[in-house]
Amino acid sequence: MVIAQCKKLIKVYPGAQDFRALDEVSLSIKEGEFVSIMGPSGCGKSTLLNILGLLDEPTGGEYILNGVPTQRLSDARRTELRRNEIGFIFQSFNLMPRLSVLENIALPMRYTNMPRADILPRARELAVRVGLEKKLHSTPLQLSGGQCQRVACARSLANKPSIILADEPTGNLDSKASAEILTLLKELNDGGMTIIMVTHDPKIAQGTHRIIHVKDGKIV
Amino acid sequence: MRLPDLMATGWTEVWAHKMCSFLSFFAIAIGIATFFYTLSILSQRYSRLGQTAKVAGAGRVETSTNHPLSLVQYQDLKARLPEGSSLALTTRNFNISNGRWWNTLYHRGNKLLGGGVRGILPSFKDADFVYRLEGRFINWKDVENKHRVVVMTVFPHEVKKAKKRFWWDDEEGVQLVKDYSAHHHLLQQQIELHHQTFTIVGILHLPTESDDVRLSRNREDRPMFYIPYTTWYDLYPEEKDTRQVDIRVVTGKESTAKAAGRSLASYLRSQFGVDEKPEIEFFQEKMEEHLTQARKSLNNMLFMGIIAMIAGGIGIMNVTMAVIFSRTKEIGIRRAIGASRKDILFQFVVEAMLLGLCGSVAGMILGYMAVLHLAEDTSQMTFSWWVVALSVLIALVTSFLFALYPAWQAAKLKPVDALKNE
């Protein structure tokens, strides 16, 4: 089953000379796939990921997420989709520095209608799943990079998304931590999670089902 | 996000950005202090005017004449007034120490300087009676028989010497009478007024300055010796100055005041000829003047309060803008993990309102201190909950309104742009 489908996506950044970041990109991702997107910097892979994650809107083309065409949705509806269907993992972790590990993992759930009493138990469950049961009350500043990225992984799972979008999740990590994160992502994928990962590192990309190469806004 | 979560987040952020929060908090606190101060003073002034009107009596009309009314005329006039009216006649006050009449007032050979003497009727008691009476009051028997009895006023001992209320406050006389009455039981004692011996039958204990709600012109400004109306004319029959009489009518109903005023004027003219042009004063009108005055200062003070709140609001707005600017990335992250525009908007609004709430508490403390140290008469201040409630409400509304625009700007940010911000 196709979970995310792009048809001729175009993204133009207006300026003195319009910049075409995506040039008619078509792509479809099946449920349970682990896909990596590779390409030199500035090739449009981050733009693609932002559009897939509903953080940005394409200038043209279609994007269908889980059967829902997204191009004419209101901001509220896009937010709802993003909240429920997509989990993000960022290169620089993007955790809330003042919240504990537990609260960081719980944060996406705070934006849902989930009963308040259920939020922390589920956050704890997720923390255990990524192996941080001993760090529940630490803040991100007290954690290593690898640990931070694990918090981010747990957070991305909070609202049971259909896709995880990882933007160079190992970019800020040493090789050991990178391997750990990759293993974690693979485990998630084995559990049926669809994952799209942007990476520079061919070694990391080799562990995925499919590698999509992007160059100058096109898939090659 | 639910309100408890919003408040918890807000509180964490407020605490994390102490300096920014403090500035914002400070701005609102100053505004609220001004508001609290003005509201406290005004609420006190209004409640006091209400008490003044109450003790003065409804349907009160006053005038004066240079023709002393006889008791027959008194009864005659009273019959023309609306049913149930109280009519009081009071002779003008004479200073005991003005040198012309008396130099000194003696009690048991002890010199008591100062004070005044007025002749009154029992109906004196019907309005403005704020005293605690010890012994008895002047009664009709005293009036009819021209008894040599006196009811004297005693100032409370807690009158503050530091705050000079009257120009004679530090005069020997007041102090002498005060001290003397404190140490001697004056009731049933003999006292000498203008070489005549009187018996003190009653003592009128004046309330403290703050509890005396009468208009200042109706308050005793020195020790007073009230004697029967008729006795007074018996003592001083000839002098022109002694002929002036204050007439006070209290009908009990505001609606009959005008009629009472007309009866009063026509009766005086019928008795004393066309030259008699009594000036009729309606107490209600005087009260309205005071209310107008109070309303005027209310407007002035509220204007100042509003200016202060606008300044406070701009402070909130400025700080909220700075906070949002420094937290753009955070907004991006929150949007990415599922926060809607509404969530972001509420987050910053709730944060500003939390600050407003804290600011209002600090402002009220500040305002209360201002009331204690700056207000002319702090003894009359009462703590009223509605002033507190209103101050908090104003702080919340101001911080809400002024945080709305920056918060809306924050909510409008595109997630992808916000995330790029470092």
mmCIF file of all heavy atoms in Angstrom, chain A residues 50 55-56 75 79 82-83 88 90 92 94 96 98 107-108 110-114 116 155, chain B residues 1-2 4-5 13 16-17 329-330 333-341 343 414-416 419:
data_model
loop_
_atom_site.group_PDB
_atom_site.id
_atom_site.type_symbol
_atom_site.label_atom_id
_atom_site.label_comp_id
_atom_site.label_asym_id
_atom_site.label_seq_id
_atom_site.Cartn_x
_atom_site.Cartn_y
_atom_site.Cartn_z
ATOM 1 N N ASN A 50 10.786 18.439 3.859
ATOM 2 C CA ASN A 50 9.880 19.403 4.495
ATOM 3 C C ASN A 50 8.485 19.319 3.897
ATOM 4 O O ASN A 50 7.483 19.447 4.611
ATOM 5 C CB ASN A 50 10.416 20.828 4.344
ATOM 6 C CG ASN A 50 11.581 21.091 5.288
ATOM 7 O OD1 ASN A 50 11.740 20.395 6.291
ATOM 8 N ND2 ASN A 50 12.406 22.068 4.962
ATOM 9 N N LEU A 55 5.667 20.513 6.511
ATOM 10 C CA LEU A 55 6.191 21.738 7.120
ATOM 11 C C LEU A 55 6.214 22.846 6.085
ATOM 12 O O LEU A 55 6.244 24.021 6.416
ATOM 13 C CB LEU A 55 7.620 21.506 7.638
ATOM 14 C CG LEU A 55 7.777 20.566 8.830
ATOM 15 C CD1 LEU A 55 9.253 20.334 9.132
ATOM 16 C CD2 LEU A 55 7.084 21.143 10.052
ATOM 17 N N ASP A 56 6.228 22.452 4.826
ATOM 18 C CA ASP A 56 6.312 23.418 3.738
ATOM 19 C C ASP A 56 5.320 22.998 2.661
ATOM 20 O O ASP A 56 4.903 21.839 2.618
ATOM 21 C CB ASP A 56 7.754 23.420 3.197
ATOM 22 C CG ASP A 56 8.091 24.746 2.540
ATOM 23 O OD1 ASP A 56 7.178 25.606 2.433
ATOM 24 O OD2 ASP A 56 9.257 24.918 2.147
ATOM 25 N N ASP A 75 -4.406 25.274 7.216
ATOM 26 C CA ASP A 75 -3.264 25.084 8.121
ATOM 27 C C ASP A 75 -3.636 24.166 9.284
ATOM 28 O O ASP A 75 -2.860 23.319 9.701
ATOM 29 C CB ASP A 75 -2.786 26.437 8.647
ATOM 30 C CG ASP A 75 -1.500 26.297 9.435
ATOM 31 O OD1 ASP A 75 -0.439 26.250 8.801
ATOM 32 O OD2 ASP A 75 -1.574 26.188 10.680
ATOM 33 N N THR A 79 -1.835 20.721 10.150
ATOM 34 C CA THR A 79 -1.249 20.505 11.479
ATOM 35 C C THR A 79 -1.735 19.189 12.066
ATOM 36 O O THR A 79 -0.960 18.415 12.613
ATOM 37 C CB THR A 79 -1.638 21.664 12.428
ATOM 38 O OG1 THR A 79 -1.200 22.879 11.841
ATOM 39 C CG2 THR A 79 -0.998 21.508 13.792
ATOM 40 N N ARG A 82 -0.044 16.376 10.327
ATOM 41 C CA ARG A 82 1.359 16.316 10.748
ATOM 42 C C ARG A 82 1.457 15.709 12.140
ATOM 43 O O ARG A 82 2.301 14.872 12.426
ATOM 44 C CB ARG A 82 1.948 17.728 10.737
ATOM 45 C CG ARG A 82 3.401 17.799 11.104
ATOM 46 C CD ARG A 82 3.998 19.135 10.718
ATOM 47 N NE ARG A 82 3.326 20.224 11.401
ATOM 48 C CZ ARG A 82 2.782 21.272 10.808
ATOM 49 N NH1 ARG A 82 2.815 21.391 9.495
ATOM 50 N NH2 ARG A 82 2.212 22.216 11.506
ATOM 51 N N ARG A 83 0.542 16.138 12.998
ATOM 52 C CA ARG A 83 0.561 15.684 14.385
ATOM 53 C C ARG A 83 0.321 14.184 14.486
ATOM 54 O O ARG A 83 0.969 13.485 15.245
ATOM 55 C CB ARG A 83 -0.505 16.457 15.162
ATOM 56 C CG ARG A 83 -0.659 16.058 16.616
ATOM 57 C CD ARG A 83 -1.415 17.119 17.378
ATOM 58 N NE ARG A 83 -2.753 17.324 16.833
ATOM 59 C CZ ARG A 83 -3.340 18.507 16.709
ATOM 60 N NH1 ARG A 83 -2.718 19.602 17.055
ATOM 61 N NH2 ARG A 83 -4.553 18.601 16.211
ATOM 62 N N PHE A 88 8.991 13.369 13.413
ATOM 63 C CA PHE A 88 10.218 13.979 12.902
ATOM 64 C C PHE A 88 11.420 13.617 13.760
ATOM 65 O O PHE A 88 11.342 13.605 14.992
ATOM 66 C CB PHE A 88 10.103 15.510 12.900
ATOM 67 C CG PHE A 88 9.306 16.039 11.761
ATOM 68 C CD1 PHE A 88 7.981 16.399 11.947
ATOM 69 C CD2 PHE A 88 9.884 16.193 10.513
ATOM 70 C CE1 PHE A 88 7.244 16.899 10.896
ATOM 71 C CE2 PHE A 88 9.143 16.690 9.459
ATOM 72 C CZ PHE A 88 7.818 17.043 9.646
ATOM 73 N N PHE A 90 15.362 15.157 13.813
ATOM 74 C CA PHE A 90 16.202 16.177 13.179
ATOM 75 C C PHE A 90 17.679 15.912 13.436
ATOM 76 O O PHE A 90 18.041 15.244 14.408
ATOM 77 C CB PHE A 90 15.864 17.566 13.738
ATOM 78 C CG PHE A 90 14.439 17.964 13.525
ATOM 79 C CD1 PHE A 90 13.486 17.743 14.516
ATOM 80 C CD2 PHE A 90 14.039 18.577 12.355
ATOM 81 C CE1 PHE A 90 12.161 18.126 14.342
ATOM 82 C CE2 PHE A 90 12.719 18.967 12.173
ATOM 83 C CZ PHE A 90 11.776 18.740 13.161
ATOM 84 N N SER A 92 19.843 18.108 14.435
ATOM 85 C CA SER A 92 20.281 18.734 15.695
ATOM 86 C C SER A 92 19.304 18.433 16.841
ATOM 87 O O SER A 92 19.155 19.216 17.770
ATOM 88 C CB SER A 92 20.430 20.232 15.500
ATOM 89 O OG SER A 92 19.244 20.751 14.937
ATOM 90 N N ASN A 94 16.695 18.968 18.175
ATOM 91 C CA ASN A 94 15.551 19.857 18.416
ATOM 92 C C ASN A 94 14.691 19.443 19.607
ATOM 93 O O ASN A 94 13.470 19.386 19.520
ATOM 94 C CB ASN A 94 14.680 19.964 17.164
ATOM 95 C CG ASN A 94 15.325 20.862 16.118
ATOM 96 O OD1 ASN A 94 16.337 21.505 16.408
ATOM 97 N ND2 ASN A 94 14.753 20.914 14.952
ATOM 98 N N MET A 96 13.432 20.218 23.575
ATOM 99 C CA MET A 96 13.211 21.398 24.418
ATOM 100 C C MET A 96 14.219 21.356 25.562
ATOM 101 O O MET A 96 14.160 20.433 26.394
ATOM 102 C CB MET A 96 11.793 21.378 25.009
ATOM 103 C CG MET A 96 10.706 21.471 23.984
ATOM 104 S SD MET A 96 10.663 23.126 23.327
ATOM 105 C CE MET A 96 10.069 22.762 21.687
ATOM 106 N N ARG A 98 14.628 22.845 28.267
ATOM 107 C CA ARG A 98 14.229 22.999 29.666
ATOM 108 C C ARG A 98 13.295 21.893 30.148
ATOM 109 O O ARG A 98 12.935 21.846 31.315
ATOM 110 C CB ARG A 98 13.569 24.356 29.874
ATOM 111 C CG ARG A 98 14.575 25.460 30.075
ATOM 112 C CD ARG A 98 13.888 26.786 30.234
ATOM 113 N NE ARG A 98 13.354 27.249 28.961
ATOM 114 C CZ ARG A 98 14.080 27.859 28.029
ATOM 115 N NH1 ARG A 98 15.351 28.110 28.234
ATOM 116 N NH2 ARG A 98 13.550 28.245 26.896
ATOM 117 N N LEU A 107 5.672 15.638 24.877
ATOM 118 C CA LEU A 107 5.217 16.902 24.282
ATOM 119 C C LEU A 107 4.239 16.742 23.099
ATOM 120 O O LEU A 107 3.194 17.402 23.093
ATOM 121 C CB LEU A 107 6.429 17.755 23.888
ATOM 122 C CG LEU A 107 6.157 19.228 23.619
ATOM 123 C CD1 LEU A 107 5.442 19.873 24.793
ATOM 124 C CD2 LEU A 107 7.449 19.973 23.337
ATOM 125 N N PRO A 108 4.521 15.880 22.111
ATOM 126 C CA PRO A 108 3.552 15.769 21.006
ATOM 127 C C PRO A 108 2.176 15.336 21.495
ATOM 128 O O PRO A 108 1.157 15.754 20.951
ATOM 129 C CB PRO A 108 4.162 14.697 20.104
ATOM 130 C CG PRO A 108 5.617 14.709 20.426
ATOM 131 C CD PRO A 108 5.703 15.035 21.886
ATOM 132 N N ARG A 110 0.831 16.177 24.223
ATOM 133 C CA ARG A 110 0.163 17.312 24.869
ATOM 134 C C ARG A 110 -0.680 18.094 23.872
ATOM 135 O O ARG A 110 -1.547 18.860 24.250
ATOM 136 C CB ARG A 110 1.205 18.267 25.471
ATOM 137 C CG ARG A 110 2.105 17.622 26.496
ATOM 138 C CD ARG A 110 1.544 17.787 27.888
ATOM 139 N NE ARG A 110 2.426 17.195 28.879
ATOM 140 C CZ ARG A 110 1.989 16.537 29.938
ATOM 141 N NH1 ARG A 110 0.697 16.387 30.138
ATOM 142 N NH2 ARG A 110 2.832 16.036 30.809
ATOM 143 N N TYR A 111 -0.359 17.946 22.592
ATOM 144 C CA TYR A 111 -1.117 18.673 21.577
ATOM 145 C C TYR A 111 -2.272 17.851 21.023
ATOM 146 O O TYR A 111 -2.884 18.217 20.036
ATOM 147 C CB TYR A 111 -0.182 19.118 20.451
ATOM 148 C CG TYR A 111 0.792 20.184 20.895
ATOM 149 C CD1 TYR A 111 2.153 19.929 20.989
ATOM 150 C CD2 TYR A 111 0.338 21.460 21.237
ATOM 151 C CE1 TYR A 111 3.039 20.900 21.404
ATOM 152 C CE2 TYR A 111 1.218 22.439 21.664
ATOM 153 C CZ TYR A 111 2.566 22.159 21.742
ATOM 154 O OH TYR A 111 3.430 23.127 22.168
ATOM 155 N N THR A 112 -2.543 16.701 21.634
ATOM 156 C CA THR A 112 -3.661 15.876 21.175
ATOM 157 C C THR A 112 -4.743 15.856 22.246
ATOM 158 O O THR A 112 -4.589 16.463 23.300
ATOM 159 C CB THR A 112 -3.205 14.420 20.947
ATOM 160 O OG1 THR A 112 -2.816 13.876 22.208
ATOM 161 C CG2 THR A 112 -2.040 14.348 19.978
ATOM 162 N N ASN A 113 -5.819 15.130 21.959
ATOM 163 C CA ASN A 113 -6.905 15.025 22.936
ATOM 164 C C ASN A 113 -6.720 13.854 23.886
ATOM 165 O O ASN A 113 -7.626 13.498 24.637
ATOM 166 C CB ASN A 113 -8.245 14.850 22.217
ATOM 167 C CG ASN A 113 -8.568 16.055 21.387
ATOM 168 O OD1 ASN A 113 -8.255 17.187 21.784
ATOM 169 N ND2 ASN A 113 -9.163 15.840 20.230
ATOM 170 N N MET A 114 -5.552 13.253 23.818
ATOM 171 C CA MET A 114 -5.288 12.090 24.660
ATOM 172 C C MET A 114 -5.548 12.436 26.139
ATOM 173 O O MET A 114 -5.194 13.511 26.581
ATOM 174 C CB MET A 114 -3.806 11.773 24.487
ATOM 175 C CG MET A 114 -3.417 10.421 24.942
ATOM 176 S SD MET A 114 -1.748 10.147 24.309
ATOM 177 C CE MET A 114 -1.315 8.748 25.282
ATOM 178 N N ARG A 116 -5.082 13.126 29.844
ATOM 179 C CA ARG A 116 -3.839 13.574 30.455
ATOM 180 C C ARG A 116 -3.155 12.462 31.252
ATOM 181 O O ARG A 116 -1.933 12.367 31.276
ATOM 182 C CB ARG A 116 -4.108 14.754 31.400
ATOM 183 C CG ARG A 116 -4.349 16.034 30.672
ATOM 184 C CD ARG A 116 -4.281 17.200 31.629
ATOM 185 N NE ARG A 116 -2.921 17.705 31.732
ATOM 186 C CZ ARG A 116 -2.421 18.273 32.820
ATOM 187 N NH1 ARG A 116 -3.139 18.341 33.912
ATOM 188 N NH2 ARG A 116 -1.203 18.730 32.836
ATOM 189 N N ARG A 155 10.258 10.554 20.871
ATOM 190 C CA ARG A 155 9.272 11.622 20.701
ATOM 191 C C ARG A 155 8.535 11.469 19.369
ATOM 192 O O ARG A 155 7.330 11.694 19.286
ATOM 193 C CB ARG A 155 9.967 12.981 20.771
ATOM 194 C CG ARG A 155 9.012 14.148 20.651
ATOM 195 C CD ARG A 155 9.717 15.477 20.735
ATOM 196 N NE ARG A 155 10.557 15.697 19.556
ATOM 197 C CZ ARG A 155 11.288 16.791 19.370
ATOM 198 N NH1 ARG A 155 11.308 17.735 20.294
ATOM 199 N NH2 ARG A 155 12.018 16.940 18.287
ATOM 200 N N MET B 1 -3.329 22.132 23.138
ATOM 201 C CA MET B 1 -2.777 21.972 24.488
ATOM 202 C C MET B 1 -3.806 22.437 25.520
ATOM 203 O O MET B 1 -4.455 23.445 25.343
ATOM 204 C CB MET B 1 -1.497 22.802 24.611
ATOM 205 C CG MET B 1 -0.427 22.073 25.366
ATOM 206 S SD MET B 1 1.068 23.066 25.461
ATOM 207 C CE MET B 1 2.285 21.789 25.607
ATOM 208 N N ARG B 2 -3.915 21.698 26.587
ATOM 209 C CA ARG B 2 -4.884 22.064 27.611
ATOM 210 C C ARG B 2 -4.320 23.130 28.552
ATOM 211 O O ARG B 2 -3.097 23.292 28.652
ATOM 212 C CB ARG B 2 -5.292 20.833 28.410
ATOM 213 C CG ARG B 2 -6.446 20.101 27.750
ATOM 214 C CD ARG B 2 -6.489 18.670 28.174
ATOM 215 N NE ARG B 2 -5.530 17.881 27.413
ATOM 216 C CZ ARG B 2 -5.690 16.579 27.175
ATOM 217 N NH1 ARG B 2 -6.736 15.962 27.643
ATOM 218 N NH2 ARG B 2 -4.802 15.913 26.475
ATOM 219 N N PRO B 4 -3.941 23.502 31.834
ATOM 220 C CA PRO B 4 -2.906 23.203 32.846
ATOM 221 C C PRO B 4 -1.522 23.042 32.214
ATOM 222 O O PRO B 4 -0.515 23.511 32.764
ATOM 223 C CB PRO B 4 -3.375 21.889 33.467
ATOM 224 C CG PRO B 4 -4.803 21.765 33.118
ATOM 225 C CD PRO B 4 -5.029 22.530 31.869
ATOM 226 N N ASP B 5 -1.499 22.386 31.014
ATOM 227 C CA ASP B 5 -0.228 22.213 30.324
ATOM 228 C C ASP B 5 0.322 23.556 29.861
ATOM 229 O O ASP B 5 1.516 23.838 29.961
ATOM 230 C CB ASP B 5 -0.399 21.293 29.110
ATOM 231 C CG ASP B 5 -0.803 19.885 29.536
ATOM 232 O OD1 ASP B 5 -0.396 19.489 30.646
ATOM 233 O OD2 ASP B 5 -1.510 19.218 28.789
ATOM 234 N N GLU B 13 8.747 28.733 31.111
ATOM 235 C CA GLU B 13 9.388 29.724 30.244
ATOM 236 C C GLU B 13 9.581 31.054 30.954
ATOM 237 O O GLU B 13 10.605 31.700 30.813
ATOM 238 C CB GLU B 13 8.562 29.912 28.960
ATOM 239 C CG GLU B 13 8.500 28.671 28.085
ATOM 240 C CD GLU B 13 9.878 28.176 27.642
ATOM 241 O OE1 GLU B 13 10.817 28.995 27.583
ATOM 242 O OE2 GLU B 13 10.010 26.970 27.381
ATOM 243 N N ALA B 16 12.455 30.641 33.022
ATOM 244 C CA ALA B 16 13.702 30.508 32.268
ATOM 245 C C ALA B 16 14.190 31.855 31.729
ATOM 246 O O ALA B 16 15.383 32.066 31.569
ATOM 247 C CB ALA B 16 13.494 29.533 31.119
ATOM 248 N N HIS B 17 13.265 32.759 31.461
ATOM 249 C CA HIS B 17 13.651 34.075 30.931
ATOM 250 C C HIS B 17 13.417 35.127 31.994
ATOM 251 O O HIS B 17 12.602 36.028 31.837
ATOM 252 C CB HIS B 17 12.834 34.405 29.678
ATOM 253 C CG HIS B 17 13.024 33.404 28.588
ATOM 254 N ND1 HIS B 17 12.242 32.288 28.461
ATOM 255 C CD2 HIS B 17 13.936 33.336 27.593
ATOM 256 C CE1 HIS B 17 12.655 31.586 27.426
ATOM 257 N NE2 HIS B 17 13.685 32.195 26.885
ATOM 258 N N LYS B 329 12.892 29.323 16.971
ATOM 259 C CA LYS B 329 13.229 27.921 16.720
ATOM 260 C C LYS B 329 12.290 26.993 17.499
ATOM 261 O O LYS B 329 11.781 26.010 16.978
ATOM 262 C CB LYS B 329 14.678 27.683 17.145
ATOM 263 C CG LYS B 329 15.115 26.248 17.103
ATOM 264 C CD LYS B 329 15.779 25.917 15.804
ATOM 265 C CE LYS B 329 16.271 24.496 15.817
ATOM 266 N NZ LYS B 329 17.052 24.194 14.631
ATOM 267 N N GLU B 330 12.084 27.364 18.750
ATOM 268 C CA GLU B 330 11.194 26.560 19.594
ATOM 269 C C GLU B 330 9.793 26.485 18.986
ATOM 270 O O GLU B 330 9.161 25.422 18.995
ATOM 271 C CB GLU B 330 11.126 27.190 20.990
ATOM 272 C CG GLU B 330 10.205 26.436 21.925
ATOM 273 C CD GLU B 330 9.778 27.261 23.120
ATOM 274 O OE1 GLU B 330 10.633 27.965 23.684
ATOM 275 O OE2 GLU B 330 8.583 27.197 23.466
ATOM 276 N N ILE B 333 9.883 23.974 16.255
ATOM 277 C CA ILE B 333 9.887 22.595 16.756
ATOM 278 C C ILE B 333 8.489 22.189 17.204
ATOM 279 O O ILE B 333 7.978 21.126 16.857
ATOM 280 C CB ILE B 333 10.881 22.439 17.926
ATOM 281 C CG1 ILE B 333 12.300 22.764 17.477
ATOM 282 C CG2 ILE B 333 10.819 21.026 18.479
ATOM 283 C CD1 ILE B 333 13.295 22.899 18.618
ATOM 284 N N ARG B 334 7.868 23.082 17.949
ATOM 285 C CA ARG B 334 6.521 22.768 18.447
ATOM 286 C C ARG B 334 5.537 22.551 17.303
ATOM 287 O O ARG B 334 4.709 21.639 17.343
ATOM 288 C CB ARG B 334 6.022 23.875 19.373
ATOM 289 C CG ARG B 334 6.696 23.846 20.743
ATOM 290 C CD ARG B 334 6.168 24.950 21.651
ATOM 291 N NE ARG B 334 6.902 25.003 22.903
ATOM 292 C CZ ARG B 334 6.581 24.292 23.988
ATOM 293 N NH1 ARG B 334 5.534 23.498 23.966
ATOM 294 N NH2 ARG B 334 7.298 24.406 25.095
ATOM 295 N N ARG B 335 5.668 23.390 16.264
ATOM 296 C CA ARG B 335 4.786 23.231 15.106
ATOM 297 C C ARG B 335 5.056 21.884 14.428
ATOM 298 O O ARG B 335 4.129 21.199 14.016
ATOM 299 C CB ARG B 335 5.003 24.371 14.104
ATOM 300 C CG ARG B 335 4.598 25.730 14.635
ATOM 301 C CD ARG B 335 3.109 25.970 14.578
ATOM 302 N NE ARG B 335 2.679 26.437 13.269
ATOM 303 C CZ ARG B 335 1.630 25.986 12.617
ATOM 304 N NH1 ARG B 335 0.918 25.023 13.138
ATOM 305 N NH2 ARG B 335 1.302 26.466 11.456
ATOM 306 N N ALA B 336 6.352 21.518 14.327
ATOM 307 C CA ALA B 336 6.712 20.272 13.646
ATOM 308 C C ALA B 336 6.138 19.059 14.375
ATOM 309 O O ALA B 336 5.692 18.114 13.751
ATOM 310 C CB ALA B 336 8.220 20.152 13.536
ATOM 311 N N ILE B 337 6.138 19.108 15.696
ATOM 312 C CA ILE B 337 5.652 17.929 16.415
ATOM 313 C C ILE B 337 4.156 18.004 16.713
ATOM 314 O O ILE B 337 3.636 17.207 17.472
ATOM 315 C CB ILE B 337 6.435 17.673 17.714
ATOM 316 C CG1 ILE B 337 6.264 18.850 18.672
ATOM 317 C CG2 ILE B 337 7.899 17.414 17.416
ATOM 318 C CD1 ILE B 337 6.838 18.560 20.030
ATOM 319 N N GLY B 338 3.475 18.972 16.113
ATOM 320 C CA GLY B 338 2.021 18.899 16.166
ATOM 321 C C GLY B 338 1.276 20.072 16.778
ATOM 322 O O GLY B 338 0.057 20.015 16.910
ATOM 323 N N ALA B 339 1.989 21.142 17.156
ATOM 324 C CA ALA B 339 1.283 22.285 17.728
ATOM 325 C C ALA B 339 0.589 23.052 16.612
ATOM 326 O O ALA B 339 1.187 23.302 15.574
ATOM 327 C CB ALA B 339 2.251 23.201 18.462
ATOM 328 N N SER B 340 -0.676 23.422 16.852
ATOM 329 C CA SER B 340 -1.398 24.207 15.853
ATOM 330 C C SER B 340 -1.097 25.685 16.081
ATOM 331 O O SER B 340 -0.456 26.052 17.065
ATOM 332 C CB SER B 340 -2.895 23.948 15.981
ATOM 333 O OG SER B 340 -3.336 24.393 17.240
ATOM 334 N N ARG B 341 -1.563 26.513 15.167
ATOM 335 C CA ARG B 341 -1.392 27.969 15.342
ATOM 336 C C ARG B 341 -2.029 28.421 16.640
ATOM 337 O O ARG B 341 -1.487 29.249 17.356
ATOM 338 C CB ARG B 341 -2.044 28.698 14.171
ATOM 339 C CG ARG B 341 -1.210 28.597 12.941
ATOM 340 C CD ARG B 341 -1.726 29.462 11.826
ATOM 341 N NE ARG B 341 -0.695 29.519 10.811
ATOM 342 C CZ ARG B 341 -0.915 29.878 9.553
ATOM 343 N NH1 ARG B 341 -2.108 30.250 9.191
ATOM 344 N NH2 ARG B 341 0.078 29.893 8.696
ATOM 345 N N ASP B 343 -2.409 26.698 19.325
ATOM 346 C CA ASP B 343 -1.570 26.304 20.467
ATOM 347 C C ASP B 343 -0.469 27.321 20.714
ATOM 348 O O ASP B 343 -0.197 27.696 21.849
ATOM 349 C CB ASP B 343 -0.926 24.935 20.201
ATOM 350 C CG ASP B 343 -1.938 23.797 20.261
ATOM 351 O OD1 ASP B 343 -2.821 23.865 21.127
ATOM 352 O OD2 ASP B 343 -1.840 22.881 19.442
ATOM 353 N N LYS B 414 5.589 30.339 9.444
ATOM 354 C CA LYS B 414 5.539 29.034 8.779
ATOM 355 C C LYS B 414 6.506 28.116 9.506
ATOM 356 O O LYS B 414 7.633 28.508 9.818
ATOM 357 C CB LYS B 414 5.955 29.187 7.315
ATOM 358 C CG LYS B 414 4.777 29.530 6.424
ATOM 359 C CD LYS B 414 5.242 29.960 5.071
ATOM 360 C CE LYS B 414 5.363 28.803 4.093
ATOM 361 N NZ LYS B 414 5.842 29.291 2.770
ATOM 362 N N PRO B 415 6.086 26.888 9.758
ATOM 363 C CA PRO B 415 6.944 25.980 10.523
ATOM 364 C C PRO B 415 8.344 25.859 9.918
ATOM 365 O O PRO B 415 9.340 25.871 10.646
ATOM 366 C CB PRO B 415 6.224 24.648 10.465
ATOM 367 C CG PRO B 415 4.854 24.921 9.996
ATOM 368 C CD PRO B 415 4.797 26.273 9.417
ATOM 369 N N VAL B 416 8.406 25.777 8.595
ATOM 370 C CA VAL B 416 9.704 25.561 7.966
ATOM 371 C C VAL B 416 10.623 26.766 8.177
ATOM 372 O O VAL B 416 11.824 26.618 8.421
ATOM 373 C CB VAL B 416 9.535 25.215 6.461
ATOM 374 C CG1 VAL B 416 8.944 26.373 5.682
ATOM 375 C CG2 VAL B 416 10.845 24.770 5.866
ATOM 376 N N LEU B 419 11.748 26.856 11.887
ATOM 377 C CA LEU B 419 12.740 25.824 12.198
ATOM 378 C C LEU B 419 14.139 26.211 11.742
ATOM 379 O O LEU B 419 15.134 25.812 12.339
ATOM 380 C CB LEU B 419 12.341 24.511 11.526
ATOM 381 C CG LEU B 419 11.535 23.544 12.370
ATOM 382 C CD1 LEU B 419 11.092 22.378 11.522
ATOM 383 C CD2 LEU B 419 12.345 23.049 13.560
#
